Amino acid sequence: MPPVKRKLFNLDQYQVPRGKVQIISERCKGCSLCLEYCPNKVLAWSTDYNFKGYRYPVLEETEEKYCISCRFCEEVCPDFAIYVTTEPELTAKPQSTQRK
Amino acid sequence: MTRLGVFICHCGKNIARTVNIEALREKAATLPHVVLAKDYLYLCSKPGQTMIADDIREHRLDKVLIAACSPRLHGKTFAQTAQRAGLNPYLLDMANIREHCSWVHIDGAEGTEKAFSIIKGGLGRLLYAEPLEPFQSPVTKRVLVIGGGVAGIQATLDIANSGYEVYLVEKSPSLGGHMAQLGETFPTLDCSSCILTPKMVEVSQNEHVHLLSYSEVTRIEGNIGQFQVTVRLRPRYVDETLCTGCGDCVPTCPVVVSNEFDQGLGARKAVYLPFPQAVPAVYTIDWDACLNTDKLIICENCYKDCEAKAINFLMEPQEKMVEVGAVVLATGYELMPVARIGEYGGDEYEDVIDGLQFERMLSASGPTGGVVRRPSDGRIPQNVVFVQCAGSRDPEHGIPYCSKVCCMYTAKHALLYKHAVPDGQVYVFYIDIRAAGKGHEEFVQKVMSEERILYLRGKVSKIFKSGAKLVVWGADTLSGRQVEIEADLVVLAMAVIPSSGSQKLARTLHIASDLSGFFSEAHPKLRPLESNTDGIFLAGAAQFAKDITDTVSQATGAAGKALSLLANDFIKLEPTISEVEEGICRGCGLCVSICPFGAVKMLPSTRTGAMVAGINPILCKGCGLCTAGCLSGAVTLKGSSFKQIFAQLEEMV
């Protein structure tokens, strides 16, 4: 792999799934598992508190960081407080992803 | 009373120029036990050999010394002569008075004196020589081919079509190698993948071929006729037997990375087929890019979409043991990284690319669909500068040799670009045009004269960025002027270097490579297809940079060599190997750790039951390391015993 970070010519031919994160803030107890494990780091802490007195995750997407619908947050949440709905179309324009 | 015969070769003038043969013969005739001393113009010729054979019979010679060239060159020739005359071939020895004497001496008197001392030493050694008998070893009728480029494919097909089993090991997920990346081939402009992909398919469909893709050879033991090979199959996380190649796993994969097959110019997903015609047509998950790790399964999108249920995130590397009789090495080449040449931007500028990247742009299945574009902004370049000998013929950058293919492919690149962009301007910097091949010179001449392409004889000193353009500074040595060109795109014909894993493989296989890292052939003229280890053959650019035509020829040749080995049920192995005197061995095990071939093992003695060293005659190569290392002198190297070596030394000093 050449070390120059080039723009990839045919990037626009590649689409990735786009998910929409749904957060049920009242159920959250602020364990931070979803923030920890989100591979694209699209979640952040809220500034206010839920009625239990916890901060809860909120969605913070940018051009480069968006939900890719892997649904791992659903899997790890112990309180069923987060789930993902997948948009029917693959619309997002992908960024060239850095390797691990 | 031993009857010794000495035969001295003139080797034309190679020896006779420095060594006074007549004086040497007269002196040699006076040595003890010598009953016959003769000289001849070319001992290796048919009349020379006949003379030796006749004299052995006529004079009832017990042992014969041939004072001529290196035994590496003609040892076998004279051993066969001895055999024909009814003499055990191990009672004939050679004294090297050519490489060791006449070639390195100028003075005749000194040369003659040294030749005499070499002969005296040889006779001393010969006195203690004992007759040896070669032993037989069975031949496993299978071949291992390492590397699935065009060389490996050709060798595999030639062997498999003769009815023998072939294991083809390829490192990457697909066969094809660099040839699959090319657009069109010089000088005929044949479409590269159109002529290669049918061969790839043929490999996958041949019942005699076991294709091990995404795999590497990690260990090889044994000897000609019997190699035990360990192949490590990397997990592709997709079951090869279940995957239908439908591609349903790709759309929902969230990870996009650059595609190695497109030389980093195009994209692919983490689950991918490197190119549509890949063989095997099985998807692979790039575990480095995939969101999942060995400990954590984060994303299951591909798993959910795979109807064949071929995806298995828990796949682990496997080891496969294979027994073969011969090995064909076809590990190919790569291009020297642009980063190694700082004055050409050292890979800092996006619009300075190498030949293979340009090739991917020309390919209809490439990332730009066959259109030449600037990587920085995607526009079609109007001024293109090609730089030949980028790294090649440049000892300062560590590559003293000519990479052989760049002159031709640069001419082809210039032609194809010009056909696509007729009003574009092309400049080619070259040192010399080396177009020595069938139709090659005609091709370059056609490009130069008909296509209005400016060939500038000289080197490029510097490439730097100025706004959106690149400025190329170079010299035109024909007009004697400095040249400055504003270019949109610069294509460097980077030097061809051996593929990155080849040094490691050379160590695994115990074969030699040259200073540049290419595998060494057994003889540059007469045995170009063989490595210096018997039973391991070389094909393609792993031996040296070469074009497709030469690669295919060599691959077919290497396959022929392997087939002629497989035609025997048994092969004769040299008896000049180590032997342990059990009574002397004290069982320290030092030789076990010294042996580079794993031929020595500690075994209970047949007489006393104590642990002593035992040597596997098949694995032993007769290198003599254990003989020299043994503290009690229990190991003898047959054909070079201590008695022989000391007698030789005593006579010489």
Side-chain angles (χ1 to χ4, degrees):
Chain A
M1 177 87 42
V4 158
K5 187 102 184 69
R6 291 174 202 275
K7 286 178 214 126
L8 303 176
F9 275 123
N10 51 359
L11 205 55
D12 51 354
Q13 293 167 18
Y14 285 82
Q15 292 177 320
V16 294
R18 184 91 191 233
K20 202 161 168 30
V21 183
Q22 314 283 354
I23 299 155
I24 309 167
S25 57
E26 299 82 53
R27 289 187 184 174
C28 180
K29 63 168 186 275
C31 72
S32 88
L33 279 174
C34 52
L35 271 92
E36 198 66 38
Y37 283 110
C38 174
N40 248 15
K41 302 280 174 245
V42 301
L43 296 171
W45 285 120
S46 63
T47 44
D48 60 341
Y49 304 88
N50 66 6
F51 81 100
K52 292 191 225 170
Y54 294 113
R55 284 181 192 276
Y56 53 88
V58 289
L59 197 57
E60 203 169 68
E61 286 184 315
T62 63
E63 273 278 298
E64 285 163 47
K65 292 198 306 182
Y66 44 79
C67 174
I68 52 176
S69 185
C70 72
R71 293 165 171 265
F72 198 58
C73 47
E74 253 180 64
E75 207 108 322
V76 293
C77 181
D79 298 298
F80 306 100
I82 191 165
Y83 64 98
V84 177
T85 51
T86 305
E87 312 260 301
E89 300 267 309
L90 306 168
T91 48
K93 277 204 170 177
Q95 297 296 312
S96 170
T97 314
Q98 276 293 342
R99 280 153 187 251
K100 271 183 263 195
Chain B
M1 179 80 175
T2 315
R3 295 173 65 84
L4 290 179
V6 181
F7 293 88
I8 302 166
C9 184
H10 294 238
C11 195
K13 282 212 156 168
N14 273 303
I15 296 171
R17 188 183 292 126
T18 324
V19 175
N20 184 340
I21 303 274
E22 188 53 35
L24 190 64
R25 188 181 59 78
E26 278 172 14
K27 268 171 98 178
T30 63
L31 290 170
H33 304 294
V34 174
V35 295
L36 180 76
K38 269 193 167 177
D39 64 280
Y40 194 73
L41 197 57
Y42 289 107
L43 281 177
C44 58
S45 67
K46 198 171 179 204
Q49 290 189 52
T50 314
M51 180 187 84
I52 297 170
D54 289 346
D55 283 336
I56 291 174
R57 287 195 211 96
E58 196 178 318
H59 295 274
R60 304 189 314 281
L61 299 176
D62 299 322
K63 291 173 179 179
V64 173
L65 185 75
I66 309 283
C69 54
S70 164
R72 276 186 74 101
L73 188 65
H74 275 311
K76 272 197 182 140
T77 315
F78 293 117
Q80 283 163 2
T81 312
Q83 198 141 29
R84 276 200 298 277
L87 184 71
N88 184 294
Y90 296 90
L91 297 179
L92 177 142
D93 209 346
M94 289 186 75
N96 184 353
I97 58 167
R98 194 178 76 168
E99 284 87 338
H100 288 180
C101 181
S102 72
W103 277 1
V104 289
H105 282 281
I106 299 163
D107 186 81
E110 278 182 352
T112 310
E113 200 181 319
K114 180 166 170 189
F116 181 62
S117 115
I118 292 173
I119 288 177
K120 245 173 46 175
L123 285 172
R125 178 192 171 97
L126 198 54
L127 269 181
Y128 293 100
E130 280 170 15
L132 300 173
E133 288 302 329
F135 61 94
Q136 286 196 326
S137 162
V139 176
T140 310
K141 308 242 169 173
R142 281 189 289 267
V143 181
L144 170 75
V145 177
I146 307 177
V150 64
I153 290 172
Q154 184 65 39
T156 300
L157 287 178
D158 284 344
I159 296 165
N161 288 338
S162 310
Y164 293 102
E165 269 184 86
V166 184
Y167 285 91
L168 174 55
V169 176
E170 164 60 37
K171 192 163 67 172
S172 74
S174 170
L175 291 178
H178 285 304
M179 186 175 166
Q181 294 180 296
L182 308 183
E184 287 161 31
T185 58
F186 63 77
T188 50
L189 300 183
D190 275 317
C191 158
S192 181
S193 51
C194 310
I195 53 181
L196 182 68
T197 43
K199 279 184 177 289
M200 287 158 60
V201 174
E202 207 183 326
V203 168
S204 68
Q205 288 174 348
N206 194 307
E207 52 176 353
H208 296 302
V209 180
H210 305 272
L211 174 57
L212 306 174
S213 58
Y214 216 46
S215 306
E216 280 175 279
V217 172
T218 51
R219 226 176 123 77
I220 191 158
E221 285 181 350
N223 209 321
I224 178 170
Q226 297 180 316
F227 291 104
Q228 290 89 40
V229 187
T230 312
V231 182
R232 185 171 177 271
L233 308 165
R234 288 165 64 198
R236 40 178 9 131
Y237 301 98
V238 177
D239 191 327
E240 276 186 52
T241 52
L242 295 177
C243 180
T244 58
C246 67
D248 283 349
C249 48
V250 176
T252 54
C253 176
V255 183
V256 180
V257 288
S258 65
N259 191 354
E260 299 85 349
F261 187 78
D262 287 331
Q263 294 289 311
L265 295 180
R268 65 163 169 82
K269 289 288 187 73
V271 56
Y272 70 109
L273 200 61
F275 55 106
Q277 301 86 358
V279 170
V282 174
Y283 280 76
T284 306
I285 295 178
D286 175 355
W287 206 237
D288 290 333
C290 180
L291 296 176
N292 300 333
T293 66
D294 289 338
K295 293 194 179 111
L296 202 60
I297 307 298
I298 287 181
C299 168
E300 293 178 323
N301 287 359
C302 55
Y303 177 80
K304 283 180 197 151
D305 288 339
C306 179
E307 275 183 31
K309 290 282 161 254
I311 288 172
N312 174 8
F313 294 123
L314 305 175
M315 219 177 246
E316 282 184 358
Q318 287 180 337
E319 293 219 322
K320 191 179 169 74
M321 291 293 292
V322 177
E323 289 206 355
V324 295
V327 180
V328 176
L329 267 183
T331 51
Y333 74 97
E334 57 190 51
L335 292 186
M336 179 174 144
V338 179
R340 285 210 350 223
I341 306 189
E343 57 266 38
Y344 294 171
D347 217 8
E348 267 178 47
Y349 310 133
E350 283 183 76
D351 295 332
V352 178
I353 60 172
D354 67 25
L356 272 176
Q357 288 175 323
F358 195 75
E359 200 73 55
R360 284 313 295 152
M361 285 206 259
L362 290 173
S363 168
S365 62
T368 57
V371 183
V372 176
R373 291 183 186 281
R374 273 158 60 91
S376 60
D377 53 17
R379 287 215 314 261
I380 292 173
Q382 292 303 308
N383 285 311
V384 182
V385 174
F386 290 92
V387 182
Q388 295 191 178
C389 296
S392 307
R393 303 177 69 191
D394 188 354
E396 276 175 33
H397 289 113
I399 309 286
Y401 55 83
C402 162
S403 293
K404 222 176 160 183
V405 288
C406 328
C407 286
M408 290 308 297
Y409 80 62
T410 300
K412 176 193 75 180
H413 284 172
L415 174 88
L416 292 175
Y417 166 74
K418 198 74 181 165
H419 281 190
V421 189
D423 56 342
Q425 183 59 53
V426 181
Y427 306 88
V428 180
F429 281 93
Y430 71 101
I431 303 180
D432 299 294
I433 294 296
R434 297 186 165 175
K438 196 172 179 179
H440 289 192
E441 179 65 21
E442 296 91 316
F443 181 79
V444 175
Q445 287 301 335
K446 184 178 148 229
V447 170
M448 281 181 171
S449 57
E450 290 177 19
E451 302 293 340
R452 300 180 59 78
I453 288 163
L454 194 56
Y455 267 73
L456 296 161
R457 189 176 199 276
K459 281 205 90 164
V460 168
S461 59
K462 194 174 164 74
I463 299 170
F464 58 95
K465 210 162 179 175
S466 164
K469 298 222 168 200
L470 293 159
V471 179
V472 180
W473 278 356
D476 178 6
T477 55
L478 292 182
S479 68
R481 273 184 303 198
Q482 295 295 311
V483 196
E484 184 180 316
I485 299 168
E486 278 209 340
D488 297 316
L489 184 69
V490 178
V491 184
L492 305 175
M494 295 304 298
V496 171
I497 59 172
S499 57
S500 49
S502 62
Q503 281 306 301
K504 203 175 135 205
L505 194 63
R507 280 194 295 276
T508 310
L509 297 174
H510 307 297
I511 62 164
S513 47
D514 62 22
L515 282 176
S516 309
F518 292 107
F519 298 135
S520 299
E521 58 282 351
H523 188 279
K525 295 271 178 287
L526 301 176
R527 294 170 71 195
L529 307 176
E530 293 151 81
S531 78
N532 53 359
T533 301
D534 289 339
I536 300 184
F537 306 104
L538 308 174
Q543 184 250 340
F544 189 66
K546 51 174 70 75
D547 64 9
I548 296 168
T549 317
D550 289 353
T551 296
V552 172
S553 318
Q554 199 184 9
T556 299
K561 284 274 171 197
L563 284 173
S564 63
L565 170 63
L566 260 50
N568 301 298
D569 291 328
F570 292 93
I571 45 151
K572 279 186 179 163
L573 287 179
E574 285 291 315
T576 49
I577 56 169
S578 291
E579 199 177 41
V580 179
E581 182 89 34
E582 284 190 4
I584 303 176
C585 176
R586 59 179 186 176
C588 69
L590 185 62
C591 47
V592 179
S593 57
I594 288 175
C595 180
F597 306 103
V600 194
K601 289 221 161 59
M602 299 304 287
L603 302 164
S605 158
T606 43
R607 277 182 299 153
T608 61
M611 294 304 273
V612 291
I615 290 169
N616 181 341
I618 308 276
L619 295 181
C620 178
K621 298 245 194 301
C623 69
L625 280 176
C626 54
T627 315
C630 179
L631 297 174
S632 18
V635 193
T636 310
L637 182 59
K638 288 193 275 183
S640 302
S641 64
F642 284 115
K643 261 189 184 171
Q644 285 177 277
I645 303 268
F646 284 118
Q648 184 175 15
L649 284 175
E650 262 170 40
E651 291 294 335
M652 285 179 90
V653 291

